[in-house]
Amino acid sequence: MRALVKAGRWALPFGLLIAAVSIGTAHANGDRLDDVRVATAKFHSVEAANQAGYADPGLPCFDSPSTGQGMGTHLVNGDLLNDGGALDRDHPEALVYEVRSGSTKLVAVEYLVKMSDSATAPHFLGQTMIANPDLGLWTLHAWIWRDNPISLFETYNSNVPLCPTS
């Protein structure tokens, strides 16, 4: 019984320490992504994105019908993509827009590194980038404009509609 009381004395302070560390980590990641939101807020306007060098690379709208998760269509800034693999959180290489009823809405940013610039998966924002061999790119989505119930950095998002079929 005495051992249980001793253990109980440490449980609360230890639990508070774990909670404080968790909140501090979440806050640090949130601060980092708040900067990205500020830097990309103007790109809710596709016209502003185009004026900043983001253009349609001719890719289709992406989704995962088997899981019911959407992604959307992309505008890519080729100058940022051709920067030798250098990543800057406030200047993502791609902007991701959901397509719904003929309109688009900014939902995420995407960081891209050419596979030819990095033979192994780069790490960015504390995440390992994902290979897309069909496009020859390492990719990392950040769903900063649309909540993703799976993960902030997941490739697809169940809160984004599937691509229009016609």
Side-chain angles (χ1 to χ4, degrees), residues 51-98:
Q51 290 173 355
Y54 291 91
D56 181 354
L59 296 171
C61 180
F62 290 90
D63 62 17
S64 176
S66 65
T67 64
Q69 298 176 340
M71 180 189 299
T73 187
H74 295 68
L75 295 181
V76 176
N77 185 321
D79 290 339
L80 296 174
L81 182 59
N82 293 319
D83 202 15
L87 295 172
D88 176 346
R89 70 170 192 242
D90 294 340
H91 298 94
E93 288 73 21
L95 306 170
V96 184
Y97 294 83
E98 76 173 19

Side-chain angles (χ1 to χ4, degrees), residues 16-30:
L16 291 174
L17 175 64
I18 296 297
V21 169
S22 298
I23 290 168
T25 302
H27 182 65
N29 288 335

Side-chain angles (χ1 to χ4, degrees), residues 12-166:
L12 182 59
F14 184 70
L16 291 174
L17 175 64
I18 296 297
V21 169
S22 298
I23 290 168
T25 302
H27 182 65
N29 288 335
D31 286 348
R32 188 170 20 181
L33 295 176
D34 284 345
D35 291 348
V36 178
R37 283 183 195 92
V38 169
T40 60
K42 61 186 167 262
F43 301 135
H44 284 284
S45 162
V46 172
E47 183 178 312
N50 292 154
Q51 290 173 355
Y54 291 91
D56 181 354
L59 296 171
C61 180
F62 290 90
D63 62 17
S64 176
S66 65
T67 64
Q69 298 176 340
M71 180 189 299
T73 187
H74 295 68
L75 295 181
V76 176
N77 185 321
D79 290 339
L80 296 174
L81 182 59
N82 293 319
D83 202 15
L87 295 172
D88 176 346
R89 70 170 192 242
D90 294 340
H91 298 94
E93 288 73 21
L95 306 170
V96 184
Y97 294 83
E98 76 173 19
V99 180
R100 190 186 296 229
S101 303
S103 67
T104 58
K105 183 173 182 174
L106 181 63
V107 291
V109 297
E110 187 174 9
Y111 299 95
L112 306 170
V113 173
K114 290 180 181 178
M115 289 182 150
S116 60
D117 289 338
S118 180
T120 59
H123 290 81
F124 190 64
L125 298 176
Q127 305 295 310
T128 302
M129 297 182 79
I130 298 167
N132 184 327
D134 292 338
L135 297 177
L137 297 170
W138 297 105
T139 68
L140 180 66
H141 288 82
W143 296 96
I144 61 171
W145 296 108
R146 175 66 49 86
D147 181 54
N148 189 332
I150 299 170
S151 167
L152 178 66
F153 298 106
E154 186 69 25
T155 299
Y156 293 99
N157 187 336
S158 59
N159 286 335
V160 173
L162 297 177
C163 298
T165 55
S166 57

